Amino acid sequence: MIIVTSNWAIGDGTLAAATPAWLGPLPASIHRAAIHAGIGDDGSYRPIERLDLVVAGDTFDWLLSAEWLGDTKPWHASRRSSEALAKVARRSIRLGRSVLAPLIRWARQGLAVPAAMRGGKLRWSVAVPVHVTLLTGDRDARVEEVLGGRKPVTVGRWWDDGRVSIRHGHELDPVCRAAAPASAARERPPTLAESVTVDLVARFASLVAGETATRTRLLVRRMTDAGTMGIPAAIAAWRQSAESSAETGRIADAWRGCVDRWWQRARRCVPSCEVEFDALDAMAAWLSRAAAADEADTCPLAAGLANLVAEPARGGTGAVFGHLRGTGRGGAALGLVNAAAAGPATVLACGNAGGWPRWRPIAAVADDVAVVTICSPAAVSSEGGRVVDAA
């Protein structure tokens, strides 16, 4: 059985909540999924033979941190940058231990599931082998360098068993596509997403830290979860729940000032972006308008960026991407929804009719391969609008 999840974005807690709320029950959801997979259509039970748990990128968010507020940036090739990254990584691992510890324990000891069903009751007695793999994402681009070689978890850029191929897929997204691979030994320009996160969102988070801290941290978390192109929508949603016009006014002024400073810095350190016009001027104007808008308007880069979205390579395997919605036709390529997005892109959907939940295939990824994607509780299934908590 293969379980795929992504976009946990565990941070170091210096500028926003270290983990999103939906991560708390995630280990229990994974455990339930492994048990449910052993129940047959006739009600019989046979435990799964093994579990491959793949975290398909952005397990950590090593971009949104106070460590990068100075002149040292994550895209620099310098000793100071590597030392700062190590600090951010250590803090995020410590703050994410509640969700990371079960994975490590399962990888070492196996996952306890019922061995059989007797008298209508499941009997617990067998430990199923669990293989845990963390894949590289755009927000933790150097995770191989930081965690590679540490057992019992495997760290890599893709997972492939010849039938199902899994990767984060941020290289298909022009906002997150780097001009060169992330490395401590090579200087490179930031991606547009890195530039906005580090030099705009992080600066804004530090500036408004004293403004009703809980609410502003929630806003920052929503902005980072939404991604670069979803920032105005996250701000608009926050504005609608604001407690007073004075509060929204202060936040709007702070945001516009941060956008202006980001534009000036981005002019000196130009992020990589392949659109055929001045992306920075258009992006800055769009982001600045978001401060006072009740609804997000269309990004002026949208059409140009849409033409740059790369098609995933075709092959004999089913493809699952942690970063993007699938762009394949006929269900050949499927993506996991970002944790903040609405609507799941599950490979198998959980239906609740007739007793125990059953996994219902909605796309043929590969023959006889059970693939389950774990989305956030915010992801709603198309079956009756039921919230999916284990698929």
Side-chain angles (χ1 to χ4, degrees), residues 22-60:
W22 70 270
L23 271 187
L26 184 64
S29 295
I30 293 171
H31 201 168
R32 279 198 305 274
I35 296 171
H36 293 165
I39 302 174
D41 292 329
D42 60 357
S44 63
Y45 175 83
R46 184 178 67 180
I48 59 173
E49 294 181 359
R50 62 175 274 170
L51 170 61
D52 283 290
L53 176 58
V54 183
V55 187
D58 284 355
T59 310
F60 303 98

Side-chain angles (χ1 to χ4, degrees), residues 171-174 177 302 304-312 324-325 327:
E171 70 278 2
L172 306 176
D173 183 351
R177 188 155 57 225
L305 292 173
N307 294 329
L308 296 171
V309 174
E311 281 288 326
L324 298 174
R325 290 181 183 273
T327 56

Side-chain angles (χ1 to χ4, degrees), residues 50 61 193 241 335 343 382:
R50 62 175 274 170
D61 185 350
S241 65
S382 59

Side-chain angles (χ1 to χ4, degrees), residues 142-187:
R142 289 166 64 181
V143 69
E144 282 186 291
E145 175 187 328
V146 174
L147 297 180
R150 293 192 182 186
K151 295 183 177 180
V153 175
T154 300
V155 182
R157 298 187 181 185
W158 66 86
W159 186 98
D160 196 316
D161 69 349
R163 297 169 297 174
V164 177
S165 179
I166 304 168
R167 69 182 191 270
H168 190 58
H170 55 283
E171 70 278 2
L172 306 176
D173 183 351
V175 174
C176 301
R177 188 155 57 225
S183 169
R186 180 183 296 178
E187 195 85 15

Side-chain angles (χ1 to χ4, degrees), residues 68-298:
W68 310 119
L69 291 176
D71 293 330
T72 302
K73 303 297 179 184
W75 49 84
H76 289 168
S78 66
R79 180 179 58 83
R80 290 178 62 184
S81 178
S82 294
E83 290 174 348
L85 175 64
K87 290 180 183 178
V88 175
R90 282 196 299 269
R91 284 197 295 260
S92 65
I93 292 170
R94 184 177 69 252
L95 292 174
R97 62 183 178 272
S98 62
V99 69
L100 294 171
L103 273 61
I104 295 171
R105 184 174 65 253
W106 296 341
R108 287 175 174 163
Q109 303 173 6
L111 179 65
V113 299
M117 181 184 293
R118 296 188 184 93
K121 293 184 179 180
L122 296 170
R123 307 293 181 179
W124 298 82
S125 64
V126 65
V128 173
V130 178
H131 299 265
V132 179
T133 304
L134 306 185
L135 301 184
T136 301
D138 52 288
R139 288 188 279 189
D140 54 4
R142 289 166 64 181
V143 69
E144 282 186 291
E145 175 187 328
V146 174
L147 297 180
R150 293 192 182 186
K151 295 183 177 180
V153 175
T154 300
V155 182
R157 298 187 181 185
W158 66 86
W159 186 98
D160 196 316
D161 69 349
R163 297 169 297 174
V164 177
S165 179
I166 304 168
R167 69 182 191 270
H168 190 58
H170 55 283
E171 70 278 2
L172 306 176
D173 183 351
V175 174
C176 301
R177 188 155 57 225
S183 169
R186 180 183 296 178
E187 195 85 15
R188 64 176 177 84
T191 65
L192 183 59
E194 287 174 327
S195 177
V196 169
T197 300
V198 173
D199 287 333
L200 173 53
V201 177
R203 180 66 59 185
F204 170 73
S206 67
L207 187 64
V208 300
E211 293 273 352
T212 54
T214 301
R215 286 180 50 74
T216 53
R217 282 189 165 228
L218 177 60
L219 171 59
V220 172
R221 166 54 75 174
R222 285 179 175 176
M223 292 165 69
T224 54
D225 285 347
T228 303
M229 306 302 285
I231 287 176
I235 295 176
W238 183 87
R239 282 175 54 85
Q240 292 174 10
S241 65
E243 296 178 350
S244 67
S245 58
E247 180 186 24
T248 58
R250 290 193 302 270
I251 295 301
D253 290 343
W255 175 252
R256 281 190 290 264
C258 288
V259 172
D260 289 343
R261 285 190 288 274
W262 167 76
W263 178 83
Q264 293 170 10
R265 180 178 286 273
R267 277 293 178 202
R268 296 194 298 271
C269 181
V270 180
S272 57
C273 188
E274 303 167 18
V275 294
E276 297 178 353
F277 53 89
D278 191 332
L280 293 181
D281 280 355
M283 195 76 177
W286 178 63
L287 290 171
S288 185
R289 290 196 301 272
D294 291 330
E295 293 184 3
D297 60 353
T298 302

